[in-house]
Amino acid sequence: MNIVLLGIQGSGKGTVKENISNKLNFEYISTGLLLREEIASNSKLGLQVKDIINRGELVDTRIIMELIFKRIRNNQKPNVVFDGFPRNLAQAKELEKLCELDLIIFLNLKKEDAINRILNRLNCPKCGLTTSVETAKNYICPACGAKLVKRSDDTVEAINKRFEQYFSETYPLIDYYKKQNLLVEVDASLPPNEVAEQVMRAINEHNN
Ligand SMILES: [Zn+2]
């Protein structure tokens, strides 16, 4: 079974990811993670990717496809979930050549709600935990006790710019998948656990 997770930043993909990875036998393919791994491997392609990102540019579809193809080829698990990919129609059409999709889960969140969440988000530099200003009192990581920080690129201006790009590039995908009867929409303004539960239900219903 092949799934695509669509949702803007702050729509709860992290919690969904944990649930899917822990409870179902899914290979989780995130383009962000693939790019970071390739950079860390110091390969020729990795150095190229690092250059592109340092210039503030987007990594093009050809490179992304190469990384995804490599990961799918080595995948041992029966199920795959894609996160952050496809980002636009061109990538969706490339993906269709590689595998058939069963379900597209759209975590629908209003831009204002997403901005609120992102601005309240705290990260632990030591163990990587993501939490919020409301949950973690005194900016102390509940998992390891380190001091939590906000991500430096989480400013209203930067978030607005990311969203603009997201809506113009990714929104046409929602229509595209709706027409193919593949799309399931989940209200992402609900608490993350409930969002994850609804996603799990959609996957189970599809399997039955
Ligand atoms: Zn921590």
Side-chain angles (χ1 to χ4, degrees):
M1 183 183 197
N2 299 317
I3 296 178
V4 170
L5 261 186
L6 283 178
I8 49 178
Q9 221 194 342
S11 60
K13 282 195 291 189
T15 311
V16 169
K17 177 196 171 196
E18 269 167 44
N19 273 268
I20 290 180
S21 313
N22 293 344
K23 295 178 191 159
L24 305 168
N25 194 18
F26 269 91
E27 173 77 1
Y28 201 90
I29 299 184
S30 135
T31 38
L33 192 63
L34 284 180
L35 291 169
R36 286 196 292 278
E37 281 173 5
E38 195 64 31
I39 291 172
S41 77
N42 273 321
S43 68
K44 204 175 146 196
L45 184 63
L47 293 173
Q48 209 180 328
V49 168
K50 196 176 169 183
D51 259 5
I52 296 169
I53 289 174
N54 284 344
R55 283 200 302 271
E57 291 166 16
L58 280 173
V59 179
D60 66 38
T61 298
R62 187 187 56 82
I63 292 178
I64 303 251
M65 285 316 297
E66 198 175 323
L67 294 175
I68 290 203
F69 188 68
K70 195 161 77 174
R71 175 58 64 91
I72 286 186
R73 209 171 35 203
N74 296 328
N75 175 39
Q76 308 285 326
K77 295 185 181 174
N79 306 305
V80 172
V81 57
F82 294 98
D83 174 13
F85 179 88
R87 200 178 59 216
N88 51 40
L89 269 179
Q91 290 187 352
K93 289 186 174 152
E94 285 300 315
L95 183 60
E96 278 163 22
K97 294 179 199 163
L98 209 61
C99 65
E100 205 172 306
L101 297 175
D102 299 286
L103 194 60
I104 317 297
I105 296 169
F106 173 40
L107 303 179
N108 196 2
L109 186 67
K110 273 192 290 193
K111 186 176 145 186
E112 303 78 61
D113 291 339
I115 288 179
N116 263 330
R117 275 195 188 165
I118 293 169
L119 291 179
N120 282 319
R121 194 167 60 182
L122 294 172
N123 282 301
C124 177
K126 205 171 158 194
C127 73
L129 182 94
T130 300
T131 181
S132 68
V133 177
E134 296 90 40
T135 316
K137 306 261 163 14
N138 309 322
Y139 282 52
I140 299 298
C141 175
C144 75
K147 189 155 171 45
L148 297 165
V149 292
K150 286 196 176 183
R151 263 175 51 171
S152 58
D153 54 349
D154 283 349
T155 63
V156 176
E157 203 184 27
I159 297 166
N160 265 320
K161 207 175 150 195
R162 291 204 292 270
F163 280 170
E164 235 168 74
Q165 195 169 31
Y166 183 86
F167 285 122
S168 65
E169 271 209 305
T170 309
Y171 244 72
L173 276 182
I174 290 163
D175 263 350
Y176 181 71
Y177 287 133
K178 218 180 243 172
K179 280 185 192 132
Q180 295 182 33
N181 275 325
L182 292 174
L183 197 89
V184 172
E185 199 171 312
V186 172
D187 178 5
S189 69
L190 296 167
N193 282 335
E194 276 174 52
V195 172
E197 240 168 66
Q198 288 204 21
V199 170
M200 299 290 281
R201 201 175 306 144
I203 294 172
N204 288 331
E205 269 168 23
H206 185 91
N207 274 335
N208 289 333

